[in-house]
Amino acid sequence: MTSAQHHYAGRSRGDRSSSQRPGSRNVELALHVPVIGAAVAPFMAGPDTDTDAVRAADSLAYLPSDPSAAAEEIQRRHEEIGFSYFVLGADVAGALAPVVADLAGR
């Protein structure tokens, strides 16, 4: 299941919508994250996306660009909300490769 919300929506709205679905523990959840640090995935959000506003809103559409911080946030979203899959833009794949390596060992 993929849950969609506007990238300026705050985290609490996303937490509530994902965690309150009946039977959500038996469903694989995917989260599209268009904003990584100051980078915006062009196929996931418009070029005029205000990355500072997305971060300030504490949006689920944002991950920090620091690999350690991103890994911690992904793990938290998995444990607290139940997201199993994270879809990121190809332009950040290289920078976040250490995140995959870190999470693969958990």
Side-chain angles (χ1 to χ4, degrees):
M1 172 186 292
T2 299
S3 176
Q5 70 182 49
H6 194 276
H7 49 271
Y8 293 111
R11 175 187 313 264
S12 62
R13 182 174 172 201
D15 286 354
R16 190 171 48 253
S17 66
S18 298
S19 63
Q20 292 179 354
R21 295 190 197 289
S24 64
R25 293 290 181 207
N26 298 322
V27 175
E28 297 287 337
L29 298 175
L31 176 65
H32 288 231
V33 184
V35 180
I36 310 295
V40 178
F43 73 95
M44 297 169 79
D48 60 343
T49 298
D50 183 346
T51 59
D52 291 331
V54 174
R55 182 178 39 81
D58 200 22
S59 173
L60 292 172
Y62 174 84
L63 279 175
S65 58
D66 174 66
S68 295
E72 288 177 23
E73 182 61 20
I74 288 171
Q75 187 67 35
R76 188 196 69 75
R77 291 179 189 184
H78 172 71
E79 292 171 358
E80 294 179 9
I81 306 171
F83 288 111
S84 302
Y85 300 98
F86 293 81
V87 181
L88 312 169
D91 54 335
V92 297
L96 291 182
V99 174
V100 175
D102 181 28
L103 293 174
R106 293 186 188 184

